[in-house]
Each structure stands twice: as C-alpha cells, then as structure tokens.
C-alpha cells in the first residue's frame, strides 16, 4: 500500500525519552521504506485545539493510523484516551474517509500480557472510529528501551525490530499484522529473573537517591488494626 500513515506516540514523556516514541519512530521509518508517507505526532501536542484540528484533518486523508502508547494502570493514558475520544467523535460526523489501524502498547512489567486490556480498548476504538483493525502488538519491559533508538540497542531489541519490520511489510501491503510479529514483540527482552534482579537493584538505588532507603517497607495507606 502506498499512501499516508499517521502515527501517534502516546506518551507524555519529553521528546526522545519515551519507549512509545522509539517504537513509533522505528516503525515509521520502515513504513517509509515501503513507500508510505509517514507523519509522527506526539500526544501532548493534541492538547492545543489548532493542533488537534490539523491532526483530525490529516487522519481523514490517511490510509493508516498507528497508535504507540504506554500502559497506564492496565489501560491507556488519559491524554491518549482523550485523543481517541476526539477522533471517534470527529469520525462519527460526515466526510470521514476509510482507513485502517494498528496499536502498539508497551508496559513496565516484563510480561507483555499486561497490555491485553489496553489493546482490546484500542480495538473497540477502531470499531467506533470506523477504522479497519489491522492488529495489536504488546511489549513488556518497555523501560529497558527508555526512548533510545532501537537500532542502537542491538541484541536487546532484536525481536522488537524484527516484529516491527514484519509489521511494516504487512501493513504496507494492506494486510493485517502477522501472528509471528505479535509473538516476537511479546517475547521478554531479557529473562524475567534478570529483569527482576535489575529492577530490585534500581529500586534500591532510587531509594538512596531520594533518602528513602529505610522506608522501603512503609505502608502509609494500610488501614490500622482498628479500621480493619
Ligand atoms: C501512571 C503510570 C501507570 C502505569 N501503569 C502500569 C501498569 O499498569 N502496568 C505496567 O506493566 N506498567 C505500567 N506503567 C509503566 C509504563 O507502562 C512503562 O514505564 C512504559 O515503558 C512507559 O512508556 P513510555 O516511555 O512510552 O511512556 C505505568 C507507568 C505510569 C507512569
């Protein structure tokens, strides 16, 4: 498929600091390689009414809409939800063009399965916005990428880059995301035990940095015995 792809990076993090943007950027470059014109927009931008209006207009002329977002509390971040609501409302009006959608959700826990509910939300949105659902990719351990370019991470992201390459080829051909891409993206970046060990060390390092090492066991919201 030649044509246009509009990619929304759904993190509120600063430019160049988010995993969603890393994934969106890599996929965008691959889609460009397959002859698609791609535009990447970061979701904080859509808070400005003029930017939102321009985005909606661009979406009407796009063959493909890609959302790359982080997982927040088993769902999508507020800024993304708000953007999707605006898009659905816009497309419920007149003059909308047909299009297709892919969603990529990355989460902090090592298991990609945490992204299932958010991907189901994206799919429900696609139906509401009259976009043909091409599929969803879930990635665990997203913090290990942390906004860096996937090309620079070599071995760590070999399955992620392969998944995005397969996805770009399929989408550019007007096909759904291949199951192999879903499976590759869901593979843990590192062994879960290694992930937990590294996470434990960084938890302690952060506590030291914030002078909270002796409070790691604190349970400030636990009701006291009288309230139980
Ligand atoms: C408010 C908030 C809620 C989060 N909730 C979850 C969650 O429910 N499950 C999970 O695995 N990660 C959760 N995370 C971790 C993010 O999904 C993870 O750090 C992700 O890699 C951030 O992507 P980004 O760099 O594109 O923003 C949460 C992060 C924040 C800030």
């Amino acid at each position: 498929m030649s044509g246009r792809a509009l990619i929304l990076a759904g993190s509120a993090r600063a430019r160049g600091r988010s995993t969603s943007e890393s994934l969106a950027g890599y996929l965008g470059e691959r889609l460009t390689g397959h002859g698609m014109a791609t535009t990447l927009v970061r979701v904080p931008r859509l808070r400005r009414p003029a930017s939102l209006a321009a985005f909606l207009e661009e979406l009407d002329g796009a063959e493909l809409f890609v959302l790359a977002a982080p997982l927040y509390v088993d769902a999508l971040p507020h800024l993304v939800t708000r953007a999707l609501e605006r898009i659905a409302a816009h497309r419920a009006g007149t003059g909308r063009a047909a299009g297709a959608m892919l969603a990529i959700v990355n989460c902090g826990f090592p298991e990609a399965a945490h992204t299932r509910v958010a991907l189901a939300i994206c799919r429900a949105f696609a139906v509401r916005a009259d976009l043909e659902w091409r599929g969803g990719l879930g990635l665990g351990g997203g913090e290990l990428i942390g906004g860096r370019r996937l090309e620079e991470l070599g071995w760590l992201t070999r399955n992620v880059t392969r998944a995005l390459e397969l996805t770009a080829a399929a989408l550019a051909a007007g096909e759904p995301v291949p199951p192999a891409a879903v499976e590759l993206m869901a593979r843990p970046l590192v062994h879960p035990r290694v992930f937990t060990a590294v996470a434990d060390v960084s938890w302690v390092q952060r506590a030291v940095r914030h002078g909270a090492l002796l409070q790691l066991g604190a349970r400030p919201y636990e009701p006291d015995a009288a309230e139980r």
Side-chain angles (χ1 to χ4, degrees), residues 85-220:
E85 284 173 357
R86 298 284 194 281
I87 294 169
H90 169 74
R91 289 177 67 90
T94 51
R96 68 175 177 232
M101 175 176 181
L102 161 80
I104 309 171
V105 177
N106 92 90
C107 70
F109 287 128
E111 306 87 5
H114 293 279
T115 63
R116 276 190 202 144
V117 171
L119 288 170
I121 292 170
C122 293
R123 187 177 187 151
F125 158 79
V127 172
R128 189 75 72 85
D130 209 9
L131 291 163
E132 191 188 312
W133 180 247
R134 288 280 155 83
L137 297 170
L139 172 70
E143 282 296 317
L144 295 173
I145 295 176
R148 290 175 289 172
R149 283 179 64 81
L150 300 187
E151 295 91 325
E152 290 165 12
L153 297 173
W155 174 87
L156 183 71
T157 50
R158 68 198 184 287
N159 293 321
V160 178
T161 50
R162 186 73 194 121
L164 293 175
E165 281 152 16
L166 290 174
T167 298
L171 293 176
E175 292 166 8
V177 174
V182 176
E183 191 272 319
L184 280 166
M185 186 65 100
R187 283 192 198 171
L189 294 180
V190 294
H191 192 283
R193 283 211 195 120
V194 175
F195 184 95
T196 310
V198 172
D200 279 350
V201 171
S202 84
W203 187 242
V204 171
Q205 282 174 336
R206 274 194 216 187
V208 170
R209 211 178 307 137
H210 293 282
L213 187 60
L214 300 178
Q215 294 165 45
L216 279 180
R219 305 175 77 161

Side-chain angles (χ1 to χ4, degrees), residues 10-13 17-21 68-75 106-111 114 141-144 146-147:
S11 177
R13 280 184 167 159
R17 302 288 293 272
S18 103
T19 296
S20 303
E21 203 178 324
L71 186 75
Y72 276 14
V73 198
D74 288 343
N106 92 90
C107 70
F109 287 128
E111 306 87 5
H114 293 279
E143 282 296 317
L144 295 173

Side-chain angles (χ1 to χ4, degrees), residues 12-104:
R13 280 184 167 159
R15 188 182 297 278
R17 302 288 293 272
S18 103
T19 296
S20 303
E21 203 178 324
S22 304
L23 299 168
Y26 192 86
L27 180 72
E29 285 162 18
R30 299 296 142 328
L31 288 172
T32 307
H34 286 285
M36 295 193 82
T38 57
T39 307
L40 198 156
V41 176
R42 298 171 59 255
V43 77
R45 196 181 161 82
L46 302 187
R47 282 187 290 207
R48 300 216 317 262
S51 302
L52 177 67
F55 179 88
L56 293 173
E57 198 181 319
E58 182 143 6
L59 184 64
D60 284 341
E63 276 73 27
L64 178 66
F65 170 56
V66 177
L67 170 67
L71 186 75
Y72 276 14
V73 198
D74 288 343
L76 297 168
H78 164 72
L79 284 180
V80 172
T81 302
R82 202 168 63 166
L84 296 188
E85 284 173 357
R86 298 284 194 281
I87 294 169
H90 169 74
R91 289 177 67 90
T94 51
R96 68 175 177 232
M101 175 176 181
L102 161 80
I104 309 171

